[in-house]
Structure formats: structure tokens, C-alpha cells
Amino acid sequence: MAKISLTVVHYSAHDPRTTVGGVQTFARNLTLLFEEVQFATPQDCDFDLIVKHNIPVICDNQHVVDWPKGHPVIGFQHGVGAVKFNVTRSRGHRRLARAQRRAAKRQNTLWVANAEWVATAFGRLYGNRVDHVIYYPVDLARFDAKLDGKGSRLILHDARTKHKGQALIERLKKGFPQWQFEALDCKPDLVPDRMRHARAFIHLSRYEGNSLVCNEAMAMNLPCMFTAVGLMQDRNRPTDVYLVDPEKIYGSRGSLVKEVGTFLESLDSRIYNPREWILANATPDISLDAWNRVMTHFQQMSGWNLGMMPIGEAS
């Protein structure tokens, strides 16, 4: 796969080389698509040099306001702070929502979203029209669907916080002692092998933008149980997964146990194939085509000569 012959800067709050999270994984995966990716944070960024040399900048949504007003940037929408705050009631998420509202007013910004529902929500809330939707791609060479979990009792999860289902997992451990519910708590390079030996993956979150770890689990072709949040709200959502209503399982312990019990029983009778959705929607090749369109659009918007071929003229 030929990469886009550009150097770009990914700009966010945390350095993806030393921290973990969905935004950080997204940033690292840009190296699959662009010839060179430089990582910058508010504390470690040579703004003057980047502006002087017209290096394209891909910003984590609210951070577009850190750049000079007249300087064109790409704003990537990973999630909707206002929706997240309604779920968590966290002060931090309230600040995030306010920051995103301010960012939405910035001119000279090309907006890209990670899911259709995110794009729609921002358009409805703030009117900053999204020009492109790009699902998080998964490195299929690493997440290769070569599973070795037949007969395994290991159920992986990513319930790191309250709104991601931390308390629910504790209930499940007591309700299903014959199964091992373990957190996917390891270094990013170890995630594929950790998934390889599991029987299934569950993600019982009350809010997501577009969970990258869920995409990785689907790419690995693990049977997946998800709540109907994030990507699962899109018209083009994955269908070969076990989907549940978050309000139902958070509101009733009986419903939680019943739904999870049904999912666990299905592992012996149903063949899940969520990887098919990834192959059709979230491969590096698909993302490469989408980012080519984004960079061509950005070239037109900025007036910079990035060497991008106009849409329709590519061979």
C-alpha cells in the first residue's frame, strides 16, 4: 500500500508515543497512511516552524483553537463532549463540551469525523458541517483474526471507568464465576495476542464516539457484545455483534445478567463474523482513499500546493 507522500503533524493533548487511548492509537495509525507523521502537543510544538512551512496539521477537535486564526487546519472529531457530559456529569467532560463549542466557531478548519453519528451531532449542536467521515482503520496485519481461544473461558473487556461499565463487570464476575472477565490492560503492541487467546470481547459503555478497541476486537473476529452507543448508532453500523440497550442493563441487574448470559450461551451455537464489517469499512486501504480525498480538499481550501491530484483525475 503506497502511503500519501506528505508530512503531517498530529496535534493533541498527549504524546501518542508515551500515552495510551483511542486518540493516541488513531495518531499512531496515521503512520500507516502518511509518509511522515510528526507528533506535537501544546507543551511540545514549534508552531512558528509548522506555520512557516505550511505543514498540514491534524488536530484533536477542540485543539484547533491553539493555532493562528488565519492558518488552515484539519479538525478531527473523535467524540461529542456535550453528549458525553450528559452521561458522566463530569466537570472535565463539561469543560470538553465548552471547548468543542468554541472550536466549532473557528474559521479555516476542515472538519472530519470518526462516525456518522458524531458528524450529525456536531452539525445539529454547533453547525460546523463535517465534510468527511472516516472510520478508525485497523492494522489487519496485527489484528489478523488468527484466534486460539477455542475452549477458553476468558472474556476480555475495556471497562476502565464507571461509564465504561466498571461496576457492571464486578457484578458479572460474581454472576458468572465459571468465566474469567479480565481487562484488556496491556501495552498496545500486546493487544492482538491478548485478544487471540480470548473467547469473546464485551464493551458495556454508556458513551462512545467510535471505540477503536471495539474495531480491533471486530477485526480480530472475536464474538463481540456491545452497547448501542457510538458507532453502533450509525446507519452503516456492524450487525454481526450482540447489541444491547445501555439504559436497560445499567438500570436493571436482572437485565444485565440475562443479556450477558444469553450472549455467553450463544458462543457455542452462533458463528460471529464481525471482521467482515471491518474489511468493508475500516481497512488501511479504505482509510488511505478517504484521507487522499481529505488532503485534496484541504489543498483546495488552503490554497497550498501539496501535490495532491484533484478528485476525478487520479488514475
Side-chain angles (χ1 to χ4, degrees), residues 205-221:
S205 179
R206 293 184 64 205
Y207 167 86
E208 292 295 332
N210 176 357
S211 172
L212 211 153
V213 71
C214 289
N215 284 11
E216 291 172 343
M218 289 191 293
M220 206 63 181
N221 220 25

Side-chain angles (χ1 to χ4, degrees), residues 29-262:
N29 281 347
L30 289 175
T31 62
L32 299 173
L33 310 173
F34 291 92
E35 195 66 36
E36 181 183 357
V37 180
Q38 300 174 2
F39 301 112
T41 68
Q43 295 75 34
D44 181 22
C45 182
D46 191 336
F47 291 94
D48 292 339
L49 180 67
I50 293 169
V51 170
K52 178 181 178 180
H53 291 283
N54 287 347
I55 303 174
V57 179
I58 301 169
C59 295
D60 180 6
N61 194 341
Q62 62 276 12
H63 292 286
V64 297
V65 298
D66 294 356
W67 293 84
K69 291 182 179 179
H71 187 72
V73 298
I74 298 167
F76 198 91
Q77 299 172 342
H78 292 278
V80 187
V83 177
K84 193 170 189 177
F85 171 67
N86 284 337
V87 170
T88 67
R89 311 310 292 181
S90 153
R91 290 183 180 179
H93 294 150
R94 180 170 58 187
R95 289 194 296 271
L96 173 64
R98 290 173 176 172
Q100 289 182 347
R101 184 175 66 237
R102 289 194 299 271
K105 299 176 183 178
R106 187 186 189 276
Q107 301 298 309
N108 299 303
T109 306
L110 177 60
W111 292 104
V112 184
N114 66 355
E116 179 187 7
W117 89 266
V118 172
T120 300
F122 273 110
R124 183 182 71 252
L125 288 169
Y126 309 127
N128 54 330
R129 182 173 63 89
V130 171
D131 299 285
H132 305 269
V133 173
I134 304 178
Y135 293 126
Y136 289 142
V138 183
D139 185 347
L140 299 179
R142 295 178 60 233
F143 295 88
D144 54 15
K146 295 178 181 178
L147 298 174
D148 188 26
K150 186 176 181 179
S152 170
R153 310 301 287 179
L154 175 61
I155 307 297
L156 289 175
H157 65 84
D158 192 39
R160 293 171 283 117
T161 61
K162 180 180 179 181
H163 83 267
K164 288 184 180 290
Q166 198 171 55
L168 301 190
I169 294 296
E170 294 307 312
R171 294 175 188 171
L172 295 177
K173 289 179 179 178
K174 295 177 182 178
F176 299 93
Q178 69 275 34
W179 292 91
Q180 298 170 253
F181 293 88
E182 295 184 6
L184 188 60
D185 187 14
C186 60
K187 295 180 180 179
D189 59 329
L190 300 179
V191 170
D193 193 57
R194 186 95 165 96
M195 287 184 171
R196 196 179 312 283
H197 302 294
R199 186 72 179 279
F201 179 79
I202 65 174
H203 197 61
L204 306 180
S205 179
R206 293 184 64 205
Y207 167 86
E208 292 295 332
N210 176 357
S211 172
L212 211 153
V213 71
C214 289
N215 284 11
E216 291 172 343
M218 289 191 293
M220 206 63 181
N221 220 25
L222 278 171
C224 294
M225 178 180 184
F226 298 146
T227 42
V229 300
L231 175 63
M232 301 303 138
Q233 300 174 91
D234 276 21
R235 289 173 298 179
N236 181 36
R237 69 169 183 83
T239 56
D240 204 356
V241 297
Y242 191 96
L243 204 60
V244 294
D245 181 350
E247 297 307 315
K248 186 176 179 181
I249 63 170
Y250 274 83
S252 166
R253 182 169 184 168
S255 294
L256 170 68
V257 172
K258 179 181 178 182
E259 291 286 6
V260 174
T262 301

Side-chain angles (χ1 to χ4, degrees), residues 291-309:
W291 276 106
N292 263 304
R293 291 191 291 273
V294 169
M295 300 316 297
T296 298
H297 188 170
F298 184 73
Q299 176 177 257
Q300 295 167 347
M301 184 191 88
S302 65
W304 302 349
N305 182 11
L306 301 177
M308 301 300 298
M309 188 174 294

Side-chain angles (χ1 to χ4, degrees), residues 12-21 24-25 28 188:
S12 61
H14 305 290
D15 190 331
R17 293 166 296 188
T18 57
T19 59
V20 297
Q24 292 90 321
T25 303
R28 291 191 297 271

